[in-house]
């Protein structure tokens, strides 16, 4: 029989190692996101300075489209992996990763072929860029799948190394693209270096993606995958609609201006885009080990990101124009006017991602889907409504307002989900 003192002492003894393990995994997650952020930032800056405002707008349209396809892959392949196979036995993890990565590769092949055909049909300045994106999508999506897989296993170091390999391969590829001087060359350089990292991921994991396992994976995880697909596409699809709409209302150059402003907050946007690499897996562990800590964990996560984004935005406002022109070239003069609204938008979105991680860890796919659809509708209406009212600046303020509304809904839904989870326990305790 265990005494009361033993009950209190044992968990305390395990708490410190548990906290150290969480800190270690989050540290590797931050390192990986730093590597990813740096690569994205360098690519954006290099392309902006090399091609000018209009061509940079074309590149940004291809980038946004990639974001939509990436969301499809994550919703079907890697989000269910993180929720259901974080911290499981290695044999179970390896089998799941083989099927999940095969699904991501299949998504890249199917949608990539569609992009290739569409790009060849479009022609002009946009068509070749989309054709190049179509060729590179399988490698881009497979590289992202390895990152998710490593974080699900609690091995963020391998994800970090994989992103470093991508960054190293990116350097000579960008130099060659700059000599060619076209948008398509930069798209191919960016995607080609990601393919190098994707191949390296096969050696890191010792796993070969199973394309034949994609059907089984989709069938077994349809309950989560279908909702996460709609949810993820709602996010990236809203960004794409806003970009296309802004280009139609104001001009393609406006898309480049917005992308330039976002690049200035690149570290935080990259963290938001790849947040589930670390936070959903950690939140899922919290649910299994100490569910009463999920709320504070999510609040610390979201609040920390919001504060960090605000501090970074404040630093950007103090940046001299000469330094801004050195970074963005001709894009700086227009992009600098968007720093305040873009910063507020990123801070609002960062606060909401804490609640989003909690809902996903609880496998509350129905609630998270409702939240995301609402937030996406606000994003599109705010971004395009603001563009009609006040051009590019109005669009940025509309998006900032949408982020605040979306964050509030995420937190309300997480609170309701936590109450639902705790209610059966309370009822059982009160039953004589």
């Amino acid at each position: 029989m265990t005494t009361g003192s033993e009950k209190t002492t044992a968990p305390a003894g395990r708490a410190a190692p548990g906290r150290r393990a969480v800190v270690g995994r989050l540290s590797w997650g931050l390192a990986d996101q730093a590597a990813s952020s740096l690569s994205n930032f360098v690519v954006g800056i290099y392309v902006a300075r090399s091609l000018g405002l209009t061509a940079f707008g074309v590149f940004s349209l291809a980038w946004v489209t990639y974001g939509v396809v990436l969301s499809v892959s994550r919703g079907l392949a890697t989000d269910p992996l993180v929720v259901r196979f974080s911290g499981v036995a290695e044999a179970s993890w390896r089998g799941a990763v083989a099927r999940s990565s095969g699904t991501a590769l299949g998504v890249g092949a199917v949608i990539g072929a569609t992009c290739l055909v569409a790009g060849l049909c479009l022609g002009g300045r946009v068509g070749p860029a989309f054709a190049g994106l179509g060729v590179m999508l399988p490698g881009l999506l497979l590289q992202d799948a390895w990152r998710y897989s490593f974080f699900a296993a609690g091995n963020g170091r391998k994800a970090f190394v994989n992103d470093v390999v991508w960054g190293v391969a990116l350097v000579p590829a960008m130099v060659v693209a700059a000599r060619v001087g076209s948008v398509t060359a930069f798209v191919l350089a960016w995607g080609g270096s990601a393919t190098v990292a994707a191949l390296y991921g096969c050696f890191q994991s010792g796993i070969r993606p199973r394309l034949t396992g994609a059907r089984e994976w989709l069938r077994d995880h349809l309950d989560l995958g279908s909702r996460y697909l709609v949810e993820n596409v709602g996010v990236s699809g809203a960004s794409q609609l806003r970009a296309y709409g802004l280009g139609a209302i104001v001009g393609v150059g406006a898309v480049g201006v917005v992308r330039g402003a976002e690049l200035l907050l690149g570290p935080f946007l990259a963290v938001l885009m790849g947040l589930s690499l670390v936070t959903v897996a950690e939140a899922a562990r919290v649910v299994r080990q100490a569910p009463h800590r999920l709320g504070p964990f999510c609040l610390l996560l979201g609040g920390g990101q919001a504060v960090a984004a605000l501090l970074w935005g404040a630093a950007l406002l103090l940046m001299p124009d000469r330094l801004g022109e050195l970074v963005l070239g001709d894009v700086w003069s227009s992009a600098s006017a968007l720093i305040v609204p873009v910063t507020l938008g990123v801070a609002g979105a960062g606060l909401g991602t804490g609640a989003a991680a909690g809902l996903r860890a609880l496998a509350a796919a129905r609630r998270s889907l409702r939240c995301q659809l609402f937030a996406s509708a606000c994003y599109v209406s705010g971004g395009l409504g603001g563009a009609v009212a006040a051009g590019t600046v109005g669009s940025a303020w509309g998006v900032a307002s949408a982020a605040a509304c979306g964050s509030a809904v995420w937190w309300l839904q997480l609170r309701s989900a936590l109450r639902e989870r705790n209610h059966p326990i309370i009822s059982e305790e009160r039953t004589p």
Side-chain angles (χ1 to χ4, degrees):
M1 182 174 179
T2 307
T3 64
S5 60
E6 289 172 336
K7 286 182 180 179
T8 56
T9 304
R14 292 192 300 266
R19 282 195 294 269
R20 284 197 295 269
V22 171
V23 170
R25 289 190 293 266
L26 289 175
S27 297
W28 279 116
L30 291 173
D32 175 72
Q33 290 300 337
S36 177
S37 300
L38 182 61
S39 296
N40 291 338
F41 182 76
V42 169
V43 169
I45 296 302
Y46 201 68
V47 175
R49 291 186 58 83
S50 301
L51 298 180
L53 186 58
T54 302
F56 182 56
V58 174
F59 181 84
S60 299
L61 289 176
W63 185 287
V64 170
T65 303
Y66 157 70
V68 176
V69 182
L70 183 63
S71 297
V72 173
S73 176
R74 287 179 175 177
L76 294 177
T78 51
D79 281 344
L81 175 76
V82 171
V83 171
R84 288 180 168 160
F85 293 92
S86 292
V88 300
E90 183 179 359
S92 178
W93 174 81
R94 292 181 68 85
V97 168
R99 298 191 301 275
S100 174
S101 59
T103 303
L105 191 60
V107 169
V110 172
I111 302 182
T114 304
C115 283
L116 176 61
V117 173
L120 294 176
C121 293
L122 279 174
R125 304 185 70 173
V126 176
F130 275 76
L133 176 64
V135 173
M136 293 296 131
L137 276 176
L140 284 162
L141 298 189
L142 181 58
Q143 191 275 339
D144 186 74
W146 290 130
R147 297 172 70 209
Y148 269 74
S149 301
F150 294 140
F151 277 109
N155 197 342
R157 180 181 61 83
K158 287 188 176 182
F160 170 74
V161 171
N162 193 275
D163 266 326
V164 169
V165 169
W166 186 1
V168 171
L170 194 59
V171 174
M174 283 287 138
V175 172
V176 173
R179 291 182 179 178
V180 176
S182 69
V183 176
T184 306
F186 279 103
V187 171
L188 293 174
W190 165 55
S193 54
T195 302
V196 172
L199 294 174
Y200 180 65
C202 297
F203 290 99
Q204 282 181 294
S205 63
I207 299 171
R208 191 166 59 181
R210 280 181 51 203
L211 275 170
T212 55
R215 180 178 297 181
E216 178 188 354
W217 179 264
L218 293 174
R219 184 188 66 243
D220 291 347
H221 304 284
L222 181 63
D223 56 333
L224 291 183
S226 59
R227 290 192 174 99
Y228 288 158
L229 171 64
V230 177
E231 182 180 331
N232 289 355
V233 172
V235 180
S236 54
S239 298
Q240 190 174 30
L241 286 175
R242 186 236 184 159
Y244 290 167
L246 186 61
I249 295 168
V250 184
V252 176
V255 181
V257 172
V258 171
R259 176 62 185 157
E262 291 174 346
L263 278 174
L264 296 173
L265 285 110
F268 301 99
L269 289 172
V271 167
L272 290 178
M273 289 178 63
L275 189 64
S276 58
L277 288 173
V278 183
T279 55
V280 175
E282 290 304 322
R285 289 186 177 91
V286 171
V287 170
R288 293 188 182 100
Q289 298 170 8
H292 62 283
R293 296 179 182 171
L294 181 62
F297 174 83
C298 294
L299 183 60
L300 179 63
L301 173 68
Q305 286 189 96
V307 170
L310 291 173
L311 291 175
W312 184 266
L316 289 176
L317 290 174
L318 300 176
M319 188 165 67
D321 287 338
R322 285 186 297 178
L323 181 57
E325 291 169 358
L326 180 65
V327 174
L328 288 178
D330 296 337
V331 180
W332 165 255
S333 59
S334 301
S336 59
L338 306 184
I339 290 176
V340 173
V342 170
T343 298
L344 293 176
V346 172
L351 183 61
T353 52
L359 284 176
R360 289 208 165 185
L362 292 170
R366 188 172 299 175
R367 287 187 179 276
S368 62
L369 175 59
R370 287 200 296 263
C371 290
Q372 193 55 68
L373 291 177
F374 175 81
S376 297
C378 288
Y379 182 91
V380 174
S381 58
L384 297 185
V388 172
T392 309
V393 175
S395 179
W397 278 108
V399 167
S401 301
C405 294
S407 180
V409 172
W410 277 110
W411 280 102
L412 289 172
Q413 287 295 320
L414 177 61
R415 186 177 67 173
S416 298
L418 289 173
R419 285 179 176 175
E420 284 183 1
R421 180 182 177 86
N422 294 331
H423 181 70
I425 299 174
I426 295 172
S427 299
E428 290 172 7
E429 289 175 350
R430 290 179 178 175
T431 302

